[in-house]
Amino acid sequence: QSALTQPPSASGSPGQSVTISCTGTSSDIGGYNYVSWYQQHPGKAPKLMIYEVSKRPSGVPDRFSGSKSGNTASLIVSGLQAEDETDYYCSSYAGSNNLIFGGGTKLTVL
Amino acid sequence: EVQLVESGGGLVKPGGSLRLSCAASGFTFSTYSLNWVRQAPGKGLEWVSSISSSTSYIYYADSVRGRFTISRDNAKNSLYLQMNSLRAEDTAVYYCARGYNWNDHFLIADAFDIWGQGTMVTVSS
């Protein structure tokens, strides 16, 4: 199973919105509504931000939202803040009892 | 405080074995599925293995199936990963993580809400 495809980098100015894409296939993202997004600061463990495409765990700011269209999922970060600058990873159920992650996107707040 | 703490990492030669442990506290361990996820130096996350709360369901990534064994001891609030026939490409930080949701297809969680700090495994001669 190949990794999901994420852009290596994304950027936006404080207060703006930025969208990070995660592209898979009809066998993973396109076939199931089980996409998650994780935020990972350098040297730290990942933090769950979005699960099941668009659901937010308690404690995650509503500036973070998720969506999916076809084989591509998206993480939208609105009202960008300096603390949002870090790495983001998507994951998806891929059928046959497999989970796959994306390669990660480094978000820069300009 | 809800917490997961990994241990057991270290330097091992190719072909060698290592057993990782993950000690849980602050939550009812026996009711959650648990998982191992790894991250090679400077690379992205890779799912390794998952185990359901009652051990009825156990899954592995293709890259480790047949070499790694996941297990848990609900009486000791502990998760384990026995790693055999280790290869250089297994070098990574290994995280244990708690399952958060329910996946109707996977029959366990596919999103992970609590993560340990990770333990480094280096496979090198």
Side-chain angles (χ1 to χ4, degrees), chain B residues 1-64:
Chain B
E1 180 190 4
V2 176
Q3 193 171 228
L4 295 170
V5 179
E6 303 94 338
S7 60
L11 175 63
V12 61
K13 289 181 168 53
S17 298
L18 212 54
R19 189 194 195 208
L20 304 184
S21 299
C22 173
S25 59
F27 64 97
T28 307
F29 182 82
S30 61
T31 63
Y32 287 87
S33 63
L34 294 162
N35 314 271
W36 290 100
V37 177
R38 68 185 180 184
Q39 187 169 34
K43 303 297 184 182
L45 302 171
E46 180 187 12
W47 171 72
V48 173
S49 182
S50 297
I51 186 168
S52 62
S53 58
S54 62
T55 72
S56 297
Y57 303 105
I58 290 176
Y59 306 123
Y60 298 98
D62 290 344
S63 57
V64 306

Side-chain angles (χ1 to χ4, degrees), chain A residues 1 32 34-36 38 40 44-48 51-52 56-58 89 91 93 97-103, chain B residues 37 39 43-47 59-62 65 95 100-106 110-113 115-116:
Chain A
Q1 204 83 25
Y32 308 94
Y34 290 108
V35 177
S36 299
Y38 296 89
Q40 186 182 32
K44 301 294 186 182
K47 175 185 176 182
L48 179 65
Y51 69 102
E52 294 177 22
R56 255 188 328 272
S58 60
Y89 294 91
S91 73
Y93 180 65
N97 302 321
N98 277 301
L99 289 177
I100 53 174
F101 281 89
Chain B
V37 177
Q39 187 169 34
K43 303 297 184 182
L45 302 171
E46 180 187 12
W47 171 72
Y59 306 123
Y60 298 98
D62 290 344
R65 186 176 294 113
Y95 294 100
Y100 182 70
N101 64 333
W102 175 260
N103 181 315
D104 291 338
H105 304 277
F106 207 23
D110 66 273
F112 312 144
D113 66 333
W115 296 63

Side-chain angles (χ1 to χ4, degrees), chain A residues 3-104:
Chain A
L4 303 171
T5 301
Q6 296 182 236
S9 62
S11 63
S13 299
Q16 287 187 333
S17 292
V18 66
T19 299
I20 298 173
S21 64
C22 173
T23 302
T25 69
S26 58
S27 297
D28 38 69
I29 291 178
Y32 308 94
N33 289 319
Y34 290 108
V35 177
S36 299
W37 288 91
Y38 296 89
Q39 177 190 68
Q40 186 182 32
H41 287 281
K44 301 294 186 182
K47 175 185 176 182
L48 179 65
M49 305 301 284
I50 297 288
Y51 69 102
E52 294 177 22
V53 177
S54 60
K55 298 178 180 178
R56 255 188 328 272
S58 60
V60 173
D62 59 6
R63 303 185 295 104
F64 292 87
S65 60
S67 66
K68 189 187 89 165
S69 178
N71 296 338
T72 298
S74 298
L75 174 70
I76 304 99
V77 186
S78 57
L80 268 177
Q81 299 181 2
E83 68 211 48
D84 300 333
E85 181 168 297
T86 192
D87 296 326
Y88 293 85
Y89 294 91
C90 60
S91 73
S92 174
Y93 180 65
S96 302
N97 302 321
N98 277 301
L99 289 177
I100 53 174
F101 281 89

